């Protein structure tokens, strides 16, 4: 898999984070949007301009185009919250694993790949451990957008 292939796969897998958040969250999509945005602000995962509404979350969970893809802060916040849930949600496909690994590497300022790997919840490690090196390489590379 080339660097470009990994990035494409990871971007295709990011919406699954929002999808799982909508599935597992125990309230309305509107409140889940508020929780997601507040988590981003409080945990220093991003600074959303406004709270996403339920329709926005649903678009991010099942995008029709790249403009509907969830922003980085939303993916990081969803992973942050999902990684603490007792339900232990897991990515299901290779692209979802890539997306979750991509978000994990960007969750914090890890000193090294080993530090990011050792911080994974034990139940999530089997799904992401193999993909973290590619996510780390992608994070460390300079990409022109």
């Amino acid at each position: 898999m080339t660097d470009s292939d990994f990035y494409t796969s990871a971007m295709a897998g990011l919406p699954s984070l929002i999808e799982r958040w909508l599935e597992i969250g125990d309230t309305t999509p509107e409140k889940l949007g508020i929780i997601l945005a507040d988590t981003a602000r409080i945990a220093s995962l991003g600074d959303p301009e406004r709270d996403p509404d339920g329709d926005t979350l649903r678009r991010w969970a099942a995008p029709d185009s790249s403009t509907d893809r969830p922003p980085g802060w939303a993916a990081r916040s969803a992973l942050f919250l999902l990684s603490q849930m007792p339900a232990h949600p897991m990515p299901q496909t290779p692209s979802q694993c890539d997306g979750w690994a991509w978000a994990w590497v960007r969750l914090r300022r890890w000193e090294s790949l080993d530090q990011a790997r050792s911080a994974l919840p034990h139940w999530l490690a089997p799904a992401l451990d193999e993909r973290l090196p590619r996510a780390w390489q992608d994070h460390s590379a300079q990409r022109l957008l």
Side-chain angles (χ1 to χ4, degrees), residues 11-12 14-16 18-19 56-70:
M11 293 304 102
L14 282 183
S16 68
I18 306 301
E19 181 181 22
T56 300
L57 288 181
R58 285 187 280 276
R59 266 195 331 275
W60 290 347
D64 288 330
S65 69
S66 63
T67 59
D68 289 339
R69 189 180 303 143

Side-chain angles (χ1 to χ4, degrees), residues 11-131:
M11 293 304 102
L14 282 183
S16 68
L17 288 160
I18 306 301
E19 181 181 22
R20 295 288 182 281
W21 176 237
L22 284 169
E23 288 172 0
I24 295 172
D26 193 22
T27 190
T28 66
E30 287 69 25
K31 289 181 183 175
L32 291 172
I34 293 168
I35 293 167
L36 202 63
D38 283 349
T39 298
R41 292 178 191 110
I42 292 167
S44 300
L45 301 173
D47 193 19
E49 292 179 22
R50 61 184 174 277
D51 300 342
D53 59 22
D55 289 338
T56 300
L57 288 181
R58 285 187 280 276
R59 266 195 331 275
W60 290 347
D64 288 330
S65 69
S66 63
T67 59
D68 289 339
R69 189 180 303 143
W73 69 262
R76 288 188 301 272
S77 294
L79 183 56
F80 178 82
L81 293 163
L82 291 170
S83 70
Q84 298 177 56
M85 295 186 103
H88 295 175
M90 297 285 287
Q92 302 299 311
T93 67
S95 67
Q96 289 177 4
C97 290
D98 289 342
W100 290 39
W102 188 92
W104 184 263
V105 165
R106 286 158 178 79
L107 193 63
R108 296 279 173 240
R109 291 182 188 221
W110 310 109
E111 298 285 325
S112 66
L113 171 60
D114 289 336
Q115 185 186 36
R117 181 179 278 134
S118 67
L120 278 170
H122 72 282
W123 53 269
L124 192 54
L128 301 188
D129 194 53
E130 181 181 308
R131 276 140 157 92

